[in-house]
Amino acid sequence: MLANTKKILANAYKHNYAVGHFNINNMEIVQGIVQAASKLNAPIILATSEGAIKYAGIKYLYNLTLTASEESKIPIALHLDHGKDINIIKEAINIGYSSVMIDASHEEFEKNIQLTKKIVQLAHKKGISVEAELGTIGGVEDLVSARKIIYTDPEKAKEFVDRTGCDFLAVAIGTSHGAYKFEGKAKLRIDLLKEIKRITKIPLVLHGASGVPKDIIRTAEKYGANLSGVKGVPDSQIKMAINNGINKINTDTDIRIAFDAAVRKVIFKKPKEFDPRHILNPVRELVSKVVEKRIRLFGSVNKA
Ligand code: G3H
Ligand code: 13P
Ligand code: ZN
């Protein structure tokens, strides 16, 4: 059975740590993440973007996650990331996701409230919890894009939470999606976060939180990637964010980079190799290594 996102995050809220939300697209990524979380006895949230669902199919991703949760002892929740298409959100609710995100952050305040409220009503009827977003996280992904950061206003956040009844709130405090997060020095608005935490009183979510680890970037570049200018959120800032109210941390880019580095390395070093199992096993191992470091950083070891 899939785990309950709300319960997982309620415990994180109570004990001031963060649960890892890891984006999935295929089986090796799921297995790599679950291997790390099982080793560390940590609860995790596996997440599918609308792009992932379009790529792999919702049933495949749902069943991969269900199998993972049945075969392991840790709590594994399944979450819809950045739901924008009402039909996909409804599909996720109907198939049995643990939680969904409604991302109407690109809309003006009242419209965001109305759309979020509607999803909260639909989801809560089935016992599914809802993440919403206020403010704008920067960066560009496949189907998730916003170039400019608009910081979350704490007072508005309180009104938003009260009026929508959402269970978790994604806040914009300076992070961006993707591998190019900061042009200058990395800096999160911890002052805003503290204030939002103080007045909203629900678990807060940090998107665009990948660390873009230098050792993995070096491996990818050694075997042909061009990733100049990439920059992630330093571990010290992640720790500060957790200490000041973040309970769910989203990671996708670090997994993508690990995937890329592992594939490049094996096909460069073994030009005669063409068995997908021999190419993708190192992917699974490197994803697992990267996720293990994230879980340790988040403080969710032994919280299963
Ligand atoms: O937050 C966005 C995730 O990294 C998903 O990106 O739409 O390219 O799958 P995607
Ligand atoms: P990254 O691009 O920093 O991994 O963020 C992923 C994310 O926020 C998914 O919702
Ligand atoms: Zn995101």
Side-chain angles (χ1 to χ4, degrees), residues 21 23 81-82 141 176-178 181 207-210 250-253:
H21 149 140
N23 284 75
D81 194 20
H82 293 285
E141 302 285 305
S176 296
H177 291 109
K181 297 186 187 299
H207 283 245
S210 275
N250 293 13
T251 302
D252 187 357
T253 297

Side-chain angles (χ1 to χ4, degrees), residues 206-236:
L206 190 65
H207 283 245
S210 275
V212 189
K214 292 203 172 60
D215 53 336
I216 312 290
I217 295 294
R218 269 197 298 276
T219 305
E221 290 200 313
K222 184 171 170 192
Y223 299 107
N226 177 355
L227 297 170
S228 60
V230 294
K231 196 179 275 180
V233 183
D235 288 359
S236 57

Side-chain angles (χ1 to χ4, degrees), residues 2-9 75-77 98 127 129:
L2 292 177
N4 180 311
T5 311
K6 194 161 175 164
K7 272 195 194 151
I8 291 179
L9 292 180
I76 302 178
S98 315
S129 46

Side-chain angles (χ1 to χ4, degrees), residues 134-138 148-155 157 170-176 181-182 185-198 204-208 233-234 236-246:
L134 185 65
T136 312
I137 294 147
K148 212 170 150 282
I149 296 167
I150 302 170
Y151 293 104
T152 307
D153 175 325
E155 291 298 332
V171 293
I173 56 167
T175 57
S176 296
K181 297 186 187 299
F182 305 96
K185 215 170 158 262
K187 178 105 184 75
L188 303 192
R189 290 285 307 272
I190 301 294
D191 56 324
L192 282 185
L193 175 60
K194 273 187 185 160
E195 192 52 15
I196 300 167
K197 154 98 172 162
R198 191 181 68 78
L204 302 176
V205 182
L206 190 65
H207 283 245
V233 183
S236 57
Q237 302 257 332
I238 294 288
K239 278 205 182 121
M240 251 200 285
I242 297 168
N243 290 339
N244 288 287
I246 292 293

